Amino acid sequence: MKYCLIAFENTHAAMTTEKHLKDLVKISIMPTLREISMGCGISVKFACEDLEKVIEAMKLFPLDKSLYKIYDVSSDGPKMAVSVIY
């Protein structure tokens, strides 16, 4: 399974980003993975095919880049690989 997610420093950033993206791409809210050390326990999950749309939308959104990171997540059974992509 492969997907992308945005992790946040605080809940306010997560909730406002959800509102900003929900009409642009299909997203879902999920708990932040243990492998990611951000301040907030909420992440926004989306298909990696929508990555460019999400990055462009986040550039236009007035949220400081220091408040979030976008990750690529791949899992194969019990193995999980998480890497920052933006």
Side-chain angles (χ1 to χ4, degrees):
M1 172 194 275
K2 182 177 170 85
Y3 59 91
C4 291
L5 65 84
I6 308 171
F8 303 90
E9 284 295 328
N10 60 58
T11 304
H12 177 71
M15 301 312 290
T16 56
T17 299
E18 176 193 16
K19 290 177 186 175
H20 178 69
L21 293 178
K22 71 180 180 181
D23 293 331
L24 299 173
V25 296
K26 181 178 172 151
I27 61 167
S28 60
I29 299 298
M30 66 175 279
T32 301
L33 301 171
R34 283 180 272 155
E35 293 82 2
I36 298 172
S37 59
M38 295 292 283
C40 178
I42 300 171
S43 292
V44 172
K45 178 181 175 181
F46 62 95
C48 290
E49 297 83 50
D50 293 326
L51 178 62
E52 291 303 319
K53 281 184 190 178
V54 169
I55 288 174
E56 288 306 311
M58 294 303 288
K59 286 178 183 177
L60 297 174
F61 186 48
L63 181 65
D64 190 282
K65 175 67 177 91
S66 67
L67 295 177
Y68 69 93
K69 289 183 183 171
I70 301 177
Y71 293 84
D72 176 76
V73 181
S74 298
S75 62
D76 182 22
K79 289 189 207 173
M80 180 175 288
V82 178
S83 58
V84 176
I85 52 179
Y86 182 78

